[in-house]
């Protein structure tokens, strides 16, 4: 006799962003000061700022910080300070919205790829947050922009393992600290037109919960294309992470996303035509268009994604949440 899967409820979702707001017009002026006199490439790339679909984003330091040279150690210290603060803010909001006390959390899933934290972020804030000493810790590094969806799926699978288990999933990214004065590359300039900082947190619980939550989390799936390692990621360099942004990202999505979604849906017992709404990571204006074309949803269908991109930029993993 088949065993019925344990239901997993998404009890709450909360977000947090740093207090410093950077309008896109100021970002363009800042980058012109940083790179304009050092490379003719900026003149050809300047329209990226106007066409990115971004009005403003939030960053972890005042604009003047980015006009100075910073090494690995200083950048990572900024990451730790900002990431801990963002973690605590969005986690506290998510727990309060779910009606869950910190000491009721059984496992802590953390996704972050824009800095190094050992011990990991959830361990660093555990004492201040009031987590139990026996709560499981699952820190995840290296998922990049996929970390919002991937981390949520991992948290749901953990919850499904034991009835009544409560999981806190948090993803924090501080993309802006990767801005580098020493490297006026095309990828680095494009990144300055897109990147923002932020965090998101979700509380999940398995089994029947009288509160019901805001959604049920069903099946999850992943697709890996090993030959695409050079499309997006980080180069580990001095004096900091160097962004990898290949121009082939939108066409790759347009060519491959529908097939990947169809395969995952089939494994989950869901027909693509049964899907009423896709919720996608708004990596950039061209990425959103490519997703709409590949998924066949029609231009403009991903309206919420455009709104998030407009007000917050690409924050990597938290953006989709």
């Amino acid at each position: 006799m088949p065993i019925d899967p344990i239901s997993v409820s998404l009890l709450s979702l909360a977000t947090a962003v740093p207090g410093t707001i950077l309008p896109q017009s100021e970002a363009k002026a800042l980058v012109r000061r940083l790179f304009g006199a050092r490379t003719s490439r900026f003149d050809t790339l300047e329209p990226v700022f106007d066409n990115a679909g971004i009005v403003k984003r939030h960053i972890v330091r005042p604009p003047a910080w980015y006009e100075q040279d910073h090494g690995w150690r200083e950048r990572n210290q900024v990451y730790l300070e900002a990431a801990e603060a963002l973690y605590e803010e969005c986690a506290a909001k998510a727990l309060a919205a779910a009606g869950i006390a910190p000491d009721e959390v059984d496992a802590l899933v953390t996704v972050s790829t824009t800095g190094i934290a050992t011990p990991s972020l959830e361990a660093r804030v555990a004492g201040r947050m009031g987590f139990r000493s026996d709560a499981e810790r699952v820190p995840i590094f290296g998922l990049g922009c996929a970390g919002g969806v991937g981390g949520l799926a991992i948290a749901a699978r953990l919850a499904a393992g034991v009835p009544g288990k409560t999981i806190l999933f948090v993803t924090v990214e501080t993309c802006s600290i990767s801005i580098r004065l020493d490297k006026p590359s095309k990828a680095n300039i494009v990144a300055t037109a897109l990147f923002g900082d932020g965090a998101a947190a979700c509380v999940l619980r398995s089994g029947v919960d009288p509160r019901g939550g805001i959604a049920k989390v069903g099946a999850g799936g992943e697709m890996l294309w090993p030959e695409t390692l050079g499309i997006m990621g980080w180069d580990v360099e001095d004096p900091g992470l160097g962004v990898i942004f290949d121009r082939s990202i939108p066409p790759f999505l347009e060519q491959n996303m529908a097939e990947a979604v169809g395969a995952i849906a089939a494994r989950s017992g869901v027909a693509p035509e049964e899907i009423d709404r896709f919720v996608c990571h708004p990596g950039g204006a061209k990425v959103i268009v490519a997703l709409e074309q590949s998924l066949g949803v029609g231009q403009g269908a991903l309206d919420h994604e455009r709104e998030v991109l407009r007000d917050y930029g690409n924050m990597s993993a938290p953006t989709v949440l």
Side-chain angles (χ1 to χ4, degrees):
M1 179 180 295
I3 299 174
D4 291 333
I6 297 175
S7 174
V8 176
S9 296
L10 175 63
L11 297 184
S12 65
L13 188 155
T15 60
V17 290
T20 299
I21 297 174
L22 181 66
Q24 187 75 329
S25 58
E26 292 185 19
K28 183 168 70 171
L30 170 64
V31 176
R32 175 168 283 283
R33 291 198 301 274
L34 297 179
F35 296 121
R38 300 168 54 203
T39 176
S40 59
R41 180 173 291 178
F42 181 80
D43 291 329
T44 61
L45 292 175
E46 187 175 19
V48 172
F49 289 84
D50 302 319
N51 301 328
I54 297 171
V55 174
K56 66 177 179 66
R57 48 256 176 71
H58 296 248
I59 54 178
V60 295
R61 284 293 183 268
W65 184 88
Y66 301 90
E67 300 190 55
Q68 304 166 7
D69 290 315
H70 305 286
W72 244 114
R73 177 171 180 161
E74 184 180 357
R75 291 175 189 272
N76 204 64
Q77 190 58 44
V78 170
Y79 163 77
L80 291 174
E81 178 184 329
E84 288 181 32
L86 289 168
Y87 184 112
E88 290 185 64
E89 181 181 348
C90 68
K93 288 162 64 175
L95 290 169
I100 299 291
D103 61 5
E104 294 181 86
V105 175
D106 299 302
L108 305 159
V109 178
T110 307
V111 167
S112 191
T113 309
T114 44
I116 304 296
T118 307
S120 48
L121 293 176
E122 73 285 342
R124 292 172 178 269
V125 304
R128 298 192 296 271
M129 291 290 302
F131 298 138
R132 295 201 318 267
S133 60
D134 65 343
E136 298 177 60
R137 292 169 48 216
V138 187
I140 302 171
F141 180 90
L143 291 180
C145 292
V149 172
L152 180 62
I154 291 169
R157 288 197 292 272
L158 280 174
V162 180
K165 191 167 188 175
T166 301
I167 313 292
L168 174 64
F169 164 55
V170 179
T171 176
V172 184
E173 300 294 7
T174 59
C175 302
S176 73
I177 64 172
S178 67
I179 293 174
R180 301 252 302 274
L181 298 180
D182 66 300
K183 194 174 184 180
S185 65
K186 178 180 178 180
N188 199 24
I189 293 173
V190 171
T192 62
L194 297 175
F195 276 163
D197 303 326
C202 301
V203 178
L204 301 101
R205 174 170 280 178
S206 58
V208 178
D209 193 291
R211 286 161 291 200
I214 58 178
K216 297 292 184 185
V217 181
E222 298 180 13
M223 189 70 72
L224 176 66
W225 293 274
E227 70 277 8
T228 63
L229 298 180
I231 288 183
M232 179 179 284
W234 295 118
D235 279 327
V236 180
E237 305 170 330
D238 288 325
L241 297 173
V243 67
I244 301 172
F245 260 165
D246 194 276
R247 64 187 299 174
S248 66
I249 294 172
F252 178 84
L253 290 173
E254 187 173 347
Q255 294 166 15
N256 294 279
M257 186 55 66
E259 181 182 356
V261 170
I264 293 170
R267 294 199 301 268
S268 307
V270 177
E273 57 269 20
E274 294 180 82
I275 299 173
D276 298 310
R277 176 61 155 86
F278 289 95
V279 180
C280 302
H281 167 65
K286 290 183 179 180
V287 167
I288 295 175
V289 171
L291 288 168
E292 288 174 338
Q293 292 176 342
S294 182
L295 297 172
V297 296
Q299 186 175 358
L302 300 182
D303 51 346
H304 296 307
E305 286 80 350
R306 286 185 171 86
E307 291 174 6
V308 171
L309 182 67
R310 179 194 66 204
D311 293 334
Y312 299 97
N314 181 354
M315 299 172 284
S316 190
T319 320
V320 67
L321 296 169

